[in-house]
Amino acid sequence: MASPPYRLPPALTERWAAARWPTTLGRRSLLRAGLSVPYVALAIWLDLHGIRSADNVRLEHAAESLGSPVTVGAMAHAFPPVPLAIARVLPGGAAALGIVGALCAGGILQLAWERLVRAQVPHWLVAVLLVGVGGAPVFWFNAVDNLVGFLGVALFAVAAAGMLDFLYLGRTSGGYAAGLSLALAVLCDPAALVYVGSILVAVPFLAWERFRNEPSSIRSAIAVIAFPSVAVLGAWAFLEWRFTGTVHHPLTLAPRAFTFPLGVTGGFLRAASHVGWQLLAAPIFAVTAVLLLFRRPVAFLALVAVPLDLVVTVWLGLHPSTEQGLVLLDLVGLLAVERRPGSLVSAVLAIETVAGLACALVLTDAAGTGQLLHVLGL
């Protein structure tokens, strides 16, 4: 007697619409280009006034130090390889890297806009949220100033969106996109190693609603998302070992990694306090987290993995900038906005988003955005 056919658990399509927005790749590309225009203009303006990003200048010099032609032995020392490859190929130096970051900013905002439209968020609230995040100094400063960190955050956002499509809509392509994006993030920023961990911690909680009776499916989902990152890490470690005799070169980008100058406990408490202040300046994340706590407690546990990720990153000494952490929290908050928010929730989100702009200005590193605001006369 033949066994009954196996059926996958139904997709949770009530979470948001399955159709992409805009519907065609051409329209999505045009929207991304349009959203990136202000950031590209800012990058060009800064270059014309001789204002260069220290982070992007260091990346430019690192790419030039690889020599010509680039040998395999030299590439073994070239971490992070993806930003270095971009800096190596593009003419224009640090200015071109700022434009690349500006283009990434447009892509991130289109991704968030699409997610909000598919969640049937009111149009006026979509506008407020996007302006609140994309118009914040911490966002545009990261976009044009720190290609390494911004690429890592952007790829994390792509991975999170793909993971949600994979788990809730049953899109295999979403799982592939999540896995590949995380792998690229690891090759962009050492801090992305902890991003991968937070995604893997979140998967069981997010997958519980759909695969609660299929534990093996949860393990399979983790494997699909984690395998590319494990593969690229293993390949890079082998390459470095083969040509340099060590696999620790990536940590040279974070000289304070695993040093714990305040002690293990003291360092952890300081990292938790640091991220706590960031949460106060990321009201979109805070509001969506509170809503999830009362409406979908299991999914709330997945969302908590993001600030915990930041705490661990700071504690271990990988230390993403304050601005980078704020951008990450804001983007995750946008992706987690509930479907069809009511009028009260919409009003709270709008008020908190506007208030968050003021908080971000106050809490941003004075040597970063504050300096740029002074240069711009703001």
Side-chain angles (χ1 to χ4, degrees):
M1 182 176 179
S3 60
Y6 176 77
R7 296 180 182 274
L8 285 172
L12 302 178
T13 53
E14 70 275 9
R15 291 284 176 249
W16 61 80
R20 296 296 306 271
W21 184 90
T23 54
T24 65
L25 177 60
R27 292 178 179 178
R28 290 195 295 272
S29 299
L30 285 175
L31 180 58
R32 291 164 188 156
L35 291 171
S36 68
V37 167
Y39 308 102
V40 172
L42 175 63
I44 295 174
W45 188 92
L46 291 173
D47 180 61
L48 292 176
H49 287 76
I51 304 170
R52 301 295 177 86
S53 159
D55 292 323
N56 286 344
V57 168
R58 280 194 294 268
L59 182 61
E60 176 190 0
H61 291 165
E64 292 174 350
S65 67
L66 295 177
S68 182
V70 179
T71 64
V72 176
M75 285 302 297
H77 296 273
F79 196 93
V82 172
L84 277 171
I86 294 173
R88 181 76 182 184
V89 171
L90 288 182
L97 298 179
I99 293 176
V100 172
L103 294 174
C104 290
I108 291 176
L109 291 179
Q110 185 277 323
L111 178 69
W113 195 344
E114 176 182 353
R115 169 66 181 86
L116 294 172
V117 169
R118 291 167 62 190
Q120 301 180 48
V121 175
H123 297 307
W124 67 269
L125 181 57
V126 172
V128 171
L129 292 174
L130 290 179
V131 171
V133 172
V138 291
F139 186 86
W140 42 262
F141 174 73
N142 266 272
V144 302
D145 184 78
N146 182 11
L147 181 64
V148 171
F150 196 69
L151 273 178
V153 172
L155 289 166
F156 177 84
V158 174
M163 177 184 65
L164 294 175
D165 277 355
F166 178 50
L167 297 177
Y168 288 153
L169 301 180
R171 281 183 175 161
T172 306
S173 60
Y176 293 151
L180 293 175
S181 297
L182 285 178
L184 287 174
V186 168
L187 296 178
C188 287
D189 186 0
L193 292 172
V194 189
Y195 296 166
V196 176
S198 67
I199 287 283
L200 298 184
V201 170
V203 166
F205 298 109
L206 294 174
W208 180 254
E209 294 178 77
R210 187 180 176 204
F211 296 112
R212 65 183 69 185
N213 297 321
E214 298 284 346
S216 59
S217 297
I218 296 178
R219 292 194 296 268
S220 299
I222 293 176
V224 168
I225 294 173
F227 176 77
S229 296
V230 174
V232 297
L233 281 175
W236 190 265
F238 175 79
L239 181 66
E240 287 210 7
W241 170 81
R242 176 64 179 81
F243 290 97
T244 70
T246 180
V247 295
H248 302 299
H249 178 72
L251 290 180
T252 60
L253 297 177
R256 297 182 182 178
F258 304 104
T259 58
F260 304 107
L262 299 178
V264 174
T265 303
F268 181 82
L269 293 177
R270 182 169 183 177
S273 174
H274 178 79
V275 175
W277 282 107
Q278 287 181 310
L279 288 172
L280 290 178
I284 299 176
F285 181 90
V287 172
T288 53
V290 170
L291 291 173
L292 277 178
L293 175 61
F294 289 101
R295 300 185 181 187
R296 296 171 56 207
V298 176
F300 167 79
L301 295 176
L303 197 65
V304 168
V306 178
L308 289 179
D309 159 24
L310 289 174
V311 171
V312 172
T313 305
V314 176
W315 179 50
L316 294 179
L318 299 175
H319 214 306
S321 66
T322 300
E323 296 90 340
Q324 188 176 339
L326 289 172
V327 171
L328 179 65
L329 290 172
D330 282 338
L331 291 176
V332 173
L334 285 181
L335 295 175
V337 171
E338 67 171 13
R339 177 178 177 264
R340 292 182 181 177
S343 56
L344 178 60
V345 173
S346 298
V348 170
L349 277 171
I351 293 171
E352 291 293 325
T353 300
V354 174
L357 284 173
C359 292
L361 283 171
V362 173
L363 298 177
T364 297
D365 183 4
T369 302
Q371 180 182 4
L372 188 55
L373 289 174
H374 176 72
V375 171
L376 294 175
L378 299 178

